[in-house]
Amino acid sequence: MKSFFSLNAKLFTIIALIIISSNIYSQGTSDALRLGYSSLSSDARALGMGDSYIGLSDDAGAAFFNPAGFGLIKKMELSAGLSYDNYGNNTSFMGNSSNYSASATRLNNLSFALPFPTLQGSLVFAVSYHTTRDFTSALKFDGFNKSSSMIGSLNNSGSYIPYDLYLTDTNFTTPLNDHLNQSGTITGSGETHAWTFSGAIEAYKNLFIGLNLDFSSGSYTNNNKYYEDDLTGYYANTLTDPATPNTKGFETFYLNKTLNWDITGWDLKFGMLYELKNARIGITVQFPRSYSVKERFDVSGYSQFNTGFSPNLDGSLYSDNVQYDIVTPYELGAGFSINLSSLILSAQATLIDYSQLQFENADGLSDSYVNDINQSIKDNLRSVINLNLGAEYTIPGVGLRVRAGYLRQPSAYQGDPSSYDRNYVTGGLGYLADEAVDFDVAYAHGWWNDYGDNYGSNVSRTDQKITVDRVIFSTTYRF
Amino acid sequence: MKKHITKILLIPFIGLLFSGCYTALWMPDGDYDSEDIQANEGENFYPMNDYGDYYYFYNRPWWYSAVQTAQAKNNRSKDLNANTGQGGFKRDGRSTSSTGQTSASLPTVSAPAPTVSGSTTTNTSNSSTNRAGDSNSSGNKSNPVRNNDGNRNTSGR
């Protein structure tokens, strides 16, 4: 019997090596959105004005918003900035509430712009390094699920993890389908940053055109720790595998999944800006960003019984390396700013069709699998219009500026209620010293709702109230 | 969709082909007079009345000081060439230094750099041109360039 079991185990292991990895982790819509969602800018003045900057863009922020704005710079400009991000998540799970947060501090902007001397018009080149996405996230949950379990879900989906951990019998039947306490944490970290090479020229009087060429790189790590515990003694007298007496009295199932991305990519952005006496109008076209993702997925875990028996998972059977491209859609932006004496008002709108997000050039994933993901993206995502509003008031004679802004990024998912839209309020201050050194600080507070499923659909769901806080400090020297 | 966007992007470039580019680069040996500066400054998104120091932060091109230096050198070069052909004036350090004062008709000072007021013509010939290019023109409030380093002079405060 023992040898039969051993033979079966080997056979199952071989099969698992071939087909199982995709059962524990599968690429999907949320992966594409991770690189598709619009992010906050790394420019303090712009952020203070709600990132409503396509129609203003007369500093290093042009590398993020509208490259044509570089054409408005008449002095050499050197700027640098630091950012602090905090991600908070208030989670409701099975009637329990949990708070969790994560933060990151980084150098998020370094830029140099060089205007060429002109008899008329403008020609400016710039190079900048800036953070383009922040992947900081956090989630914690803890609650009693009396109607389902991940063990049962994995087992039903064909995964060998429950079997390997002696949570099923040799016929792949498990009693552990409900009445377990579920808890865990999911944290995300990482960023993408870009080296941006920009050029802008005044093509016609007061009409500026510009181009950004971005070379991006970055990393993303997602660490998912998941526990199922029999806190009530519901399975105290149950053998999960009758052939193995040590499996009496299930206590804990632990699964740790770690996802690592190594990201590279490039993209182009075209911008135009027309300047009137006291107003500016800008339009931008963000060409699709092509990100190449090298993904490593690692799994570890164990189970624990009150007999002292605690088998560990051979993670190498479930770990995986794949590679693919994620291509984001076009983004069409338009904005304007108007100067009313010492008060600048700005607004902008950006059209993004998230259903055009795509996985491409997959290595390690079948074509049919990639097609299914892309079809799912088309079926579940939608086009949205992001709105940004901003204001800046310069206190005459003091060199002090006060800023405020608001931005709204609708959820990319079809059918999501408005509470799932990302909202931000922003504010900021700027101070100019000696006509040459500008100090800026900005703060943004964002909030929206989201949800996530540990497995299945709406059987182990975390309802999340997310808040994001970002502080940017930057200084600009013009000479 | 991609085709439409490409067409939209081509519009400004097609326009450029027919109209030529508006921007004209300045070369160190080229002319750059006060009219050019005034034309460049023009009406502005950040008017001085409302924005104070920010006016200079945004509006004053960095190359104005370089233009003045180069212009001064150009003027000297042109003037020297002109001197050779006019009245047999020949560059001679001893002759100019011994003069001490020159007449207002001396060609080395007749073509002022953008920052130089006409009053500098009372200086000595060759060396005075260099000084004029480096001098502060705060006394001439009508001149849009205050001084050589691009900063606003005290008269503007």
Side-chain angles (χ1 to χ4, degrees), chain A residues 45 58 74-75 115 117-120 122 202-203 270 275 287 330 339 341-342 344 394 399 401 435 478, chain B residues 2 5 9 16 21-24 26 31-32 45-46 50-51 54 56-63 152:
Chain A
R45 185 183 180 212
D58 49 12
K74 296 177 179 176
K75 289 182 176 178
T118 57
L119 291 170
Q120 70 172 15
S122 173
E202 190 170 356
F270 171 80
E275 185 176 52
F287 289 85
Y330 278 94
N339 191 347
S341 193
S342 298
I344 295 174
T394 301
R401 292 167 145 184
E435 302 172 0
R478 289 196 174 188
Chain B
K2 291 180 181 177
I5 290 170
L9 292 177
L16 285 178
C21 187
Y22 173 74
T23 295
W26 172 77
D31 291 333
Y32 203 116
F45 191 77
Y46 298 100
D50 296 329
Y51 286 89
Y54 280 108
Y56 299 97
F57 185 75
Y58 284 110
N59 297 331
R60 177 58 48 83
W62 67 268
W63 59 85
R152 182 171 55 164

Side-chain angles (χ1 to χ4, degrees), chain A residues 21 82 147 154-155 191 196 199 201 203 229 248 271 286 327 336 355 437-438 452-453 460 466 473 478:
Chain A
S21 326
L82 281 172
S147 57
L154 287 171
N155 195 46
E191 64 174 57
T196 302
I201 193 169
D229 299 286
K248 184 181 178 184
Q286 171 67 62
V327 182
F336 78 93
S355 69
V437 185
D438 193 35
D453 288 320
S460 179
I466 296 165
F473 173 78
R478 289 196 174 188

